[in-house]
Amino acid sequence: QSMNDIDTASGRRKKDAQRDAVFLFVDSVMQNVVEMKRAGTLKHAMPVRICVATFGKQNEIVLPLTEQWGPAEQVKLYRTLDDCADQGTPDHLALQMLQEEMQKSPSKEDPKMHRAVLMFADGGSDNAGLVREELERIRSNGTVAGGFGITASGRAMEAVYAPDGTTIESIEQLPDI
């Protein structure tokens, strides 16, 4: 139940900080592509797809690999994030699910396609060894993989996802990160 604890730095529940961080991160990525397309700054089509998996209370793919980011996807993600924080940090399961989703992608062999897997959690992984094994598999395919620890209690993500682990102590840091 650590997600219901109050973060002393912000005075907010950690689950709310995590929900907001993940939602704002996904939204900013997808809105950036929309703005670039609208402004005509893209010389070629740049498909950006997202796939979101949750772990803990629910271990599932919330948004299968998609280019869509409209109200339906936004509401589904926000509601799921609002209700998913609980029951530990089995992030190795999410990494496995995301790998399976990437294997289904029609562009999985496209050398121009760049991939990134980013995890958000408020603490250490339930099984850091399994996470590192999954990260090795993911990274061996050229996929960037990193982890974000939400609030100071998430600092363990730095070690588990090294060298690409970062702590976001406050949601106000997101624009800089």
Side-chain angles (χ1 to χ4, degrees), residues 78-95:
Y78 190 87
R79 286 183 176 162
T80 302
L81 292 172
D82 197 41
D83 188 43
C84 77
D86 197 11
Q87 310 297 321
T89 309
D91 42 342
H92 64 284
L93 297 176
L95 290 169

Side-chain angles (χ1 to χ4, degrees), residues 116-177:
V117 173
L118 303 172
M119 305 298 284
F120 292 78
D122 79 317
S125 302
D126 288 353
N127 191 324
L130 286 177
V131 169
R132 288 188 189 102
E133 287 177 22
E134 295 300 328
L135 287 173
E136 188 175 313
R137 278 189 210 98
I138 290 170
R139 290 171 175 161
S140 71
N141 295 324
T143 301
V144 173
F148 292 97
I150 305 300
T151 73
S153 68
R155 193 162 308 282
M157 294 290 280
E158 291 180 20
V160 174
Y161 286 83
D164 300 309
T166 303
T167 301
I168 302 171
E169 289 193 28
S170 168
I171 195 116
E172 288 78 22
Q173 290 179 287
L174 274 178
D176 295 332
I177 292 172

Side-chain angles (χ1 to χ4, degrees), residues 5-14 17 151 169-172:
D5 292 348
I6 301 296
D7 173 47
T8 56
S10 67
R12 300 175 69 207
R13 286 187 311 168
K14 291 192 294 181
T151 73
E169 289 193 28
S170 168
I171 195 116
E172 288 78 22

Side-chain angles (χ1 to χ4, degrees), residues 19-33 48-53 63 66 68-69 73-74 77 81 118 120 174:
R19 176 202 59 215
D20 293 350
V22 173
F23 185 85
L24 290 172
F25 182 84
V26 171
D27 187 58
S28 67
V29 168
M30 298 307 284
Q31 290 300 329
N32 186 50
V33 173
V48 172
R49 296 182 188 107
I50 55 171
C51 177
V52 179
L63 293 176
T66 181
Q68 302 301 311
W69 185 242
E73 292 80 17
Q74 293 166 354
L77 178 60
L81 292 172
L118 303 172
F120 292 78
L174 274 178

Side-chain angles (χ1 to χ4, degrees), residues 49-66 73 76-77 80-81 84 90-104 117-119:
R49 296 182 188 107
I50 55 171
C51 177
V52 179
T54 59
F55 52 92
K57 183 177 181 180
Q58 302 164 352
N59 301 312
E60 65 181 347
I61 297 293
V62 176
L63 293 176
L65 201 58
T66 181
E73 292 80 17
K76 182 176 184 176
L77 178 60
T80 302
L81 292 172
C84 77
D91 42 342
H92 64 284
L93 297 176
L95 290 169
Q96 290 169 357
M97 290 185 292
L98 291 169
Q99 284 183 85
E100 290 170 11
E101 286 296 307
M102 286 189 288
Q103 287 302 312
K104 295 177 191 175
V117 173
L118 303 172
M119 305 298 284

